Amino acid sequence: MFRTLRWLALAAATATPAISGEVTSFTLPNGLEAVVIEDHRAPVVVNMVWYRAGAADEKPGVSGIAHFLEHLMFKGTENLAPGEFSKIVEANGGSDNAFTSWDYTAYFQRVAADRLDLVMKMEADRMRGLILSEDDWKTEREVIIEERNQRTDSDPGAIFSEQRTAAQFLNHPYGTPIIGWRHEMEALTRQDALDWYRRYYAPNDAVLVVAGDVDPAEVKRLAETYYGPLEPTPGIGPRARPQEPPQLAERRLSFADPRVSQPYVTRSYLAPERDPGDQTTAAALTILADLLGGSSQTSVLATKLQFGTKQAIYTSAHYDGTSYDDTTFNLAVVPAEGVSLDEAEKALDDTLADFFKTGIDADQFARVKTRIRAAMIFAEDDIDGLARRYGEALTTGLTIADVEAWPDILDAVTEADVMAAAAEVFDRKRAVTGWMMRDETTEVMQ
């Protein structure tokens, strides 16, 4: 352990800092927020635009519209033909893509630093100038339906995950899949896409993140040139989403499919997210997830179930607190050959009970903190990851100050903080327990 700590101290001392003192921000008069992350080690830049509009902001009946519009944003403007945006980026030696979550939709390009002017101009152009022809939207609707066919409907694990998530959230739109429910996707129209676009794709609902070999003053000049003239959308305010009622009963579900290669048990608990100015509980849950299932060799679940009783061949614990509303804390156990799902679930429960009884091993706690600290140090070498860190935070309600305070908040978490967070979250009334199996006649869930 001490060798690891000495190694980490050396890494921290010798690593070239990527963000310390090099993050600046500004806001244009039309409401566009911008973050600039300087890193001059390579002549490369990542340009990202994040919109505070994701699947959880959709109206009932049009699920999938956020992701649908993400696809349609590549269909062209008065200045660019359909598909030309990506072709120009590629012709200039760069790459581009986009992604949608429940809380945001983001678009990015990675190019040589001297091409920032070009990609920023094109990105600003489609923020307000998208053109959708009758042929474009119909063709792309078939594309997203096929995407659902491939990624969800043909994958038992994805179907099971979708069903569990829907069960977890009784009222909140996080229970609706990002890609959308198939029957609603099939009914999406051009007008649905335009309504979504005109409401949310505006400078006062967007965050510009530029990371790499850039000068903040030049980034601001470009933003003022290309984004400055764009009109904001009136009436955009804080998000007001349906919230969860008190969850008073555990939900249990099983899913059987002959295509399942390996049965497993999973459980998710409703859990608090990182809140602006109040991230202590989320930090404790981050460390708790690492303690329970962060290492395939030394975590609590692995030590007990994989190497101790040998009832499992795989265990995991996962928590990501970067979310606008309450999120989940997730556990999973893949039983060993000859171990039933019922036995695997009981073993999981016994391990958690023992954890609450015996508490946290001090050496393991120190190792986990060291591992998390090291991961954050090495993450500073990735400008794509840094850009995403700030973009995701600012579109889920956090501030730049929250992002910068996060490492120290994690470091300040105590063993007592972790146990208190575990006691708060591990409430079976707010949990969904699932069994994934090949044949529903093999086992019956109680």
Side-chain angles (χ1 to χ4, degrees), residues 279-289 406 410 413-414 417-418 421:
Q279 302 181 87
T280 301
T281 299
L285 290 173
T286 299
I287 293 176
L288 175 64
W406 181 241
L410 283 167
V413 169
T414 65
D417 292 333
V418 173

Side-chain angles (χ1 to χ4, degrees), residues 34-112:
V35 178
V36 183
I37 308 166
E38 292 182 73
D39 185 340
H40 302 289
R41 290 174 293 180
V44 177
V45 64
V46 172
N47 180 68
M48 304 191 81
V49 172
W50 298 67
Y51 294 95
R52 293 183 178 90
D57 300 300
E58 297 166 345
K59 294 179 180 179
V62 289
S63 64
I65 193 64
H67 175 249
F68 185 27
L69 184 65
E70 176 211 310
H71 280 241
L72 293 172
M73 283 290 284
F74 294 87
K75 293 303 179 183
T77 67
E78 289 185 359
N79 301 308
L80 294 172
E84 189 177 4
F85 188 113
S86 295
K87 291 178 181 177
I88 291 175
V89 172
E90 183 179 7
N92 281 270
S95 60
D96 74 315
N97 214 325
F99 49 89
T100 304
S101 87
W102 279 289
D103 293 320
Y104 50 76
T105 309
Y107 303 82
F108 68 91
Q109 304 85 41
R110 181 183 176 95
V111 293

Side-chain angles (χ1 to χ4, degrees), residues 181-254:
W181 297 115
R182 185 186 184 93
H183 66 286
E184 293 183 349
M185 295 169 67
E186 292 173 340
L188 292 175
T189 66
R190 176 176 179 271
Q191 191 59 50
D192 291 330
L194 288 173
D195 288 346
W196 179 264
Y197 173 70
R198 289 165 180 164
R199 173 164 180 76
Y200 292 111
Y201 279 55
N204 55 324
D205 204 34
V207 178
L208 169 69
V209 182
V210 180
D213 187 19
V214 293
D215 172 51
E218 176 63 8
V219 173
K220 186 176 183 180
R221 184 191 70 79
L222 292 173
E224 289 172 337
T225 298
Y226 297 123
Y227 290 101
L230 302 181
E231 289 296 321
T233 294
I236 292 180
R239 295 167 174 175
R241 295 168 171 172
Q243 296 298 301
E244 281 297 290
Q247 296 196 354
L248 306 177
E250 179 188 9
R251 278 126 289 156
R252 299 178 62 80
L253 66 159
S254 60

Side-chain angles (χ1 to χ4, degrees), residues 3-16:
R3 181 181 300 171
T4 301
L5 289 172
R6 287 196 299 271
W7 168 84
L8 175 62
L10 178 63
T14 59
T16 304

